[in-house]
Amino acid sequence: MDTLLDLHKSLATKFVVPIMGGKALDLHRLFVEVTARGGLEKVIRNRQWKEIIAVFSFPSTITNASFVLRKYYLSLLNQYEQVYYFRKQVPPSVQLEVATTPSEEKSTDANQLPVSRRRNRRRSRMAARDPFHPKPNRSGYNFFYSEHYARLKSLHRGQEKTISTRIAHLWSKLTEAEKQVYQEKGLEDKQ
């Protein structure tokens, strides 16, 4: 953990241990599981994220665990894997920091760090959007859902699937006249 913190400090990147399933993600275990399978590239190529997820035994409410683990690995551990597992060339900014003592900390110019094209593309798309663009309209079911969700949330804490199922069941039991009240709210929202 100390070497990981030092690496992020030398790269001037933000480092926060993520929370998944209500617990701090065990980054050491994630690193060991990925490197035991040959590293990130092989895990992605061989589609082994399901195997790694099984090791962590996340709650069933986390349906996008493979995506989230991959995202956290890329942002927090990928550079560490390259430097300490594959022994690839350390970026110059890291070598400077490793060679100095903690009391001789040097500031890293943010402009010298590589910026991914994907992040730039995302920023340009976001800049192109109209900030006053209207939100999409809500359907009658959305109004019904939000009305019942608050009540059921207190009864079924952490059971999102159960809440959604119950609300869908309640919706199917409504008569057409009762549904029409919510459908009218949806039409008003659309206007």
Side-chain angles (χ1 to χ4, degrees), residues 34-61:
V34 172
T35 53
R37 289 167 175 78
L40 180 64
E41 288 182 23
K42 283 189 179 179
V43 168
I44 292 171
R45 192 176 336 114
N46 298 335
R47 300 177 185 213
Q48 295 175 318
W49 283 110
K50 283 187 179 183
E51 296 172 20
I52 295 170
I53 292 168
V55 172
F56 284 91
S57 62
F58 292 120
S60 60
T61 55

Tab-separated table of all heavy atoms in Angstrom, residues 34-61:
chain	number	residue	atom	x	y	z
A	34	VAL	N	-5.618	-10.067	-10.500
A	34	VAL	CA	-5.380	-9.696	-11.899
A	34	VAL	C	-3.991	-10.140	-12.344
A	34	VAL	O	-3.830	-10.728	-13.413
A	34	VAL	CB	-5.576	-8.176	-12.104
A	34	VAL	CG1	-5.137	-7.753	-13.497
A	34	VAL	CG2	-7.033	-7.795	-11.880
A	35	THR	N	-2.973	-9.901	-11.518
A	35	THR	CA	-1.611	-10.279	-11.927
A	35	THR	C	-1.421	-11.794	-11.931
A	35	THR	O	-0.612	-12.308	-12.702
A	35	THR	CB	-0.555	-9.620	-11.024
A	35	THR	OG1	-0.840	-9.906	-9.656
A	35	THR	CG2	-0.523	-8.120	-11.257
A	36	ALA	N	-2.171	-12.524	-11.102
A	36	ALA	CA	-2.089	-13.988	-11.120
A	36	ALA	C	-2.589	-14.546	-12.452
A	36	ALA	O	-2.219	-15.648	-12.847
A	36	ALA	CB	-2.902	-14.568	-9.971
A	37	ARG	N	-3.427	-13.767	-13.137
A	37	ARG	CA	-3.956	-14.186	-14.432
A	37	ARG	C	-3.171	-13.572	-15.595
A	37	ARG	O	-3.610	-13.608	-16.733
A	37	ARG	CB	-5.427	-13.808	-14.524
A	37	ARG	CG	-6.313	-14.645	-13.620
A	37	ARG	CD	-7.708	-14.048	-13.481
A	37	ARG	NE	-8.588	-14.918	-12.711
A	37	ARG	CZ	-8.582	-15.023	-11.388
A	37	ARG	NH1	-7.719	-14.322	-10.673
A	37	ARG	NH2	-9.419	-15.834	-10.764
A	38	GLY	N	-2.022	-12.971	-15.305
A	38	GLY	CA	-1.152	-12.454	-16.357
A	38	GLY	C	-1.234	-10.960	-16.585
A	38	GLY	O	-0.646	-10.456	-17.526
A	39	GLY	N	-1.961	-10.248	-15.776
A	39	GLY	CA	-2.046	-8.803	-15.920
A	39	GLY	C	-3.342	-8.356	-16.554
A	39	GLY	O	-4.150	-9.155	-17.030
A	40	LEU	N	-3.546	-7.056	-16.550
A	40	LEU	CA	-4.798	-6.464	-17.018
A	40	LEU	C	-5.112	-6.804	-18.469
A	40	LEU	O	-6.240	-7.171	-18.790
A	40	LEU	CB	-4.756	-4.941	-16.833
A	40	LEU	CG	-5.989	-4.175	-17.282
A	40	LEU	CD1	-7.187	-4.567	-16.440
A	40	LEU	CD2	-5.761	-2.695	-17.228
A	41	GLU	N	-4.130	-6.703	-19.344
A	41	GLU	CA	-4.381	-6.967	-20.761
A	41	GLU	C	-4.892	-8.385	-20.992
A	41	GLU	O	-5.819	-8.603	-21.758
A	41	GLU	CB	-3.120	-6.709	-21.580
A	41	GLU	CG	-2.788	-5.246	-21.704
A	41	GLU	CD	-1.556	-5.006	-22.562
A	41	GLU	OE1	-1.229	-5.881	-23.393
A	41	GLU	OE2	-0.928	-3.953	-22.373
A	42	LYS	N	-4.299	-9.366	-20.314
A	42	LYS	CA	-4.739	-10.753	-20.482
A	42	LYS	C	-6.123	-10.969	-19.883
A	42	LYS	O	-6.925	-11.711	-20.436
A	42	LYS	CB	-3.735	-11.713	-19.848
A	42	LYS	CG	-2.498	-11.922	-20.672
A	42	LYS	CD	-1.637	-13.022	-20.143
A	42	LYS	CE	-0.409	-13.210	-21.018
A	42	LYS	NZ	0.471	-14.253	-20.516
A	43	VAL	N	-6.399	-10.332	-18.749
A	43	VAL	CA	-7.722	-10.475	-18.120
A	43	VAL	C	-8.795	-9.927	-19.057
A	43	VAL	O	-9.839	-10.545	-19.237
A	43	VAL	CB	-7.763	-9.760	-16.749
A	43	VAL	CG1	-9.185	-9.650	-16.227
A	43	VAL	CG2	-6.900	-10.499	-15.738
A	44	ILE	N	-8.509	-8.782	-19.679
A	44	ILE	CA	-9.475	-8.201	-20.613
A	44	ILE	C	-9.603	-9.066	-21.855
A	44	ILE	O	-10.714	-9.381	-22.294
A	44	ILE	CB	-9.061	-6.755	-20.988
A	44	ILE	CG1	-9.192	-5.843	-19.766
A	44	ILE	CG2	-9.912	-6.240	-22.141
A	44	ILE	CD1	-8.599	-4.465	-19.970
A	45	ARG	N	-8.479	-9.485	-22.412
A	45	ARG	CA	-8.498	-10.303	-23.626
A	45	ARG	C	-9.208	-11.628	-23.404
A	45	ARG	O	-9.981	-12.086	-24.247
A	45	ARG	CB	-7.062	-10.551	-24.116
A	45	ARG	CG	-6.995	-11.142	-25.500
A	45	ARG	CD	-5.590	-11.321	-26.052
A	45	ARG	NE	-4.563	-10.464	-25.491
A	45	ARG	CZ	-3.539	-10.915	-24.749
A	45	ARG	NH1	-3.409	-12.202	-24.482
A	45	ARG	NH2	-2.628	-10.078	-24.273
A	46	ASN	N	-8.952	-12.273	-22.265
A	46	ASN	CA	-9.543	-13.592	-21.980
A	46	ASN	C	-10.879	-13.508	-21.265
A	46	ASN	O	-11.426	-14.537	-20.854
A	46	ASN	CB	-8.562	-14.425	-21.158
A	46	ASN	CG	-7.271	-14.677	-21.899
A	46	ASN	OD1	-7.225	-14.657	-23.131
A	46	ASN	ND2	-6.203	-14.890	-21.154
A	47	ARG	N	-11.359	-12.297	-21.035
A	47	ARG	CA	-12.663	-12.063	-20.393
A	47	ARG	C	-12.780	-12.807	-19.068
A	47	ARG	O	-13.659	-13.637	-18.864
A	47	ARG	CB	-13.791	-12.444	-21.333
A	47	ARG	CG	-13.756	-11.635	-22.605
A	47	ARG	CD	-14.814	-12.040	-23.574
A	47	ARG	NE	-14.637	-11.297	-24.805
A	47	ARG	CZ	-15.627	-10.925	-25.572
A	47	ARG	NH1	-16.850	-11.246	-25.267
A	47	ARG	NH2	-15.392	-10.236	-26.663
A	48	GLN	N	-11.872	-12.499	-18.167
A	48	GLN	CA	-11.812	-13.200	-16.882
A	48	GLN	C	-12.345	-12.378	-15.710
A	48	GLN	O	-12.121	-12.742	-14.562
A	48	GLN	CB	-10.359	-13.600	-16.603
A	48	GLN	CG	-9.822	-14.600	-17.598
A	48	GLN	CD	-8.360	-14.887	-17.367
A	48	GLN	OE1	-7.575	-13.983	-17.106
A	48	GLN	NE2	-7.988	-16.156	-17.461
A	49	TRP	N	-13.049	-11.282	-15.989
A	49	TRP	CA	-13.539	-10.449	-14.892
A	49	TRP	C	-14.542	-11.187	-14.014
A	49	TRP	O	-14.602	-10.965	-12.807
A	49	TRP	CB	-14.144	-9.149	-15.421
A	49	TRP	CG	-13.086	-8.180	-15.812
A	49	TRP	CD1	-12.767	-7.796	-17.084
A	49	TRP	CD2	-12.168	-7.494	-14.955
A	49	TRP	NE1	-11.707	-6.912	-17.061
A	49	TRP	CE2	-11.327	-6.704	-15.765
A	49	TRP	CE3	-11.968	-7.469	-13.584
A	49	TRP	CZ2	-10.319	-5.897	-15.239
A	49	TRP	CZ3	-10.964	-6.664	-13.068
A	49	TRP	CH2	-10.156	-5.900	-13.885
A	50	LYS	N	-15.329	-12.093	-14.594
A	50	LYS	CA	-16.302	-12.843	-13.783
A	50	LYS	C	-15.600	-13.696	-12.732
A	50	LYS	O	-16.075	-13.828	-11.611
A	50	LYS	CB	-17.194	-13.714	-14.665
A	50	LYS	CG	-18.271	-12.925	-15.369
A	50	LYS	CD	-19.232	-13.825	-16.085
A	50	LYS	CE	-20.300	-12.990	-16.755
A	50	LYS	NZ	-21.300	-13.796	-17.418
A	51	GLU	N	-14.473	-14.279	-13.106
A	51	GLU	CA	-13.704	-15.075	-12.142
A	51	GLU	C	-13.220	-14.207	-10.990
A	51	GLU	O	-13.250	-14.620	-9.829
A	51	GLU	CB	-12.485	-15.708	-12.829
A	51	GLU	CG	-12.806	-16.700	-13.913
A	51	GLU	CD	-11.561	-17.138	-14.667
A	51	GLU	OE1	-10.441	-16.990	-14.127
A	51	GLU	OE2	-11.707	-17.622	-15.804
A	52	ILE	N	-12.775	-13.011	-11.311
A	52	ILE	CA	-12.268	-12.101	-10.281
A	52	ILE	C	-13.401	-11.626	-9.385
A	52	ILE	O	-13.251	-11.549	-8.163
A	52	ILE	CB	-11.518	-10.917	-10.941
A	52	ILE	CG1	-10.277	-11.447	-11.667
A	52	ILE	CG2	-11.149	-9.867	-9.913
A	52	ILE	CD1	-9.578	-10.451	-12.543
A	53	ILE	N	-14.554	-11.350	-9.974
A	53	ILE	CA	-15.713	-10.919	-9.184
A	53	ILE	C	-16.111	-12.013	-8.198
A	53	ILE	O	-16.460	-11.728	-7.050
A	53	ILE	CB	-16.897	-10.598	-10.107
A	53	ILE	CG1	-16.589	-9.372	-10.933
A	53	ILE	CG2	-18.175	-10.363	-9.303
A	53	ILE	CD1	-17.555	-9.159	-12.053
A	54	ALA	N	-16.050	-13.261	-8.632
A	54	ALA	CA	-16.433	-14.383	-7.763
A	54	ALA	C	-15.565	-14.433	-6.512
A	54	ALA	O	-16.037	-14.810	-5.431
A	54	ALA	CB	-16.337	-15.697	-8.536
A	55	VAL	N	-14.315	-14.046	-6.623
A	55	VAL	CA	-13.400	-14.052	-5.482
A	55	VAL	C	-13.853	-13.044	-4.424
A	55	VAL	O	-13.756	-13.301	-3.222
A	55	VAL	CB	-11.959	-13.738	-5.949
A	55	VAL	CG1	-11.025	-13.536	-4.776
A	55	VAL	CG2	-11.446	-14.843	-6.852
A	56	PHE	N	-14.380	-11.894	-4.878
A	56	PHE	CA	-14.772	-10.842	-3.946
A	56	PHE	C	-16.135	-11.082	-3.306
A	56	PHE	O	-16.427	-10.523	-2.266
A	56	PHE	CB	-14.773	-9.486	-4.659
A	56	PHE	CG	-13.394	-8.944	-4.874
A	56	PHE	CD1	-12.697	-9.220	-6.037
A	56	PHE	CD2	-12.779	-8.178	-3.911
A	56	PHE	CE1	-11.417	-8.729	-6.238
A	56	PHE	CE2	-11.499	-7.685	-4.097
A	56	PHE	CZ	-10.819	-7.970	-5.255
A	57	SER	N	-16.977	-11.888	-3.900
A	57	SER	CA	-18.336	-12.175	-3.427
A	57	SER	C	-19.086	-10.904	-3.036
A	57	SER	O	-19.465	-10.707	-1.893
A	57	SER	CB	-18.324	-13.193	-2.282
A	57	SER	OG	-17.605	-12.696	-1.158
A	58	PHE	N	-19.288	-10.031	-4.041
A	58	PHE	CA	-20.041	-8.809	-3.846
A	58	PHE	C	-21.524	-9.124	-3.680
A	58	PHE	O	-21.989	-10.170	-4.132
A	58	PHE	CB	-19.876	-7.877	-5.060
A	58	PHE	CG	-18.496	-7.323	-5.208
A	58	PHE	CD1	-17.750	-7.570	-6.338
A	58	PHE	CD2	-17.936	-6.536	-4.210
A	58	PHE	CE1	-16.475	-7.049	-6.489
A	58	PHE	CE2	-16.665	-6.015	-4.343
A	58	PHE	CZ	-15.937	-6.272	-5.481
A	59	PRO	N	-22.299	-8.216	-3.078
A	59	PRO	CA	-23.747	-8.429	-2.980
A	59	PRO	C	-24.374	-8.465	-4.374
A	59	PRO	O	-23.842	-7.870	-5.317
A	59	PRO	CB	-24.254	-7.217	-2.198
A	59	PRO	CG	-23.078	-6.453	-1.753
A	59	PRO	CD	-21.869	-7.009	-2.407
A	60	SER	N	-25.502	-9.120	-4.493
A	60	SER	CA	-26.148	-9.267	-5.802
A	60	SER	C	-26.669	-7.947	-6.338
A	60	SER	O	-26.996	-7.844	-7.513
A	60	SER	CB	-27.288	-10.274	-5.712
A	60	SER	OG	-28.253	-9.818	-4.772
A	61	THR	N	-26.749	-6.919	-5.497
A	61	THR	CA	-27.228	-5.611	-5.959
A	61	THR	C	-26.212	-4.914	-6.852
A	61	THR	O	-26.560	-4.011	-7.601
A	61	THR	CB	-27.551	-4.686	-4.768
A	61	THR	OG1	-26.402	-4.587	-3.934
A	61	THR	CG2	-28.729	-5.215	-3.977
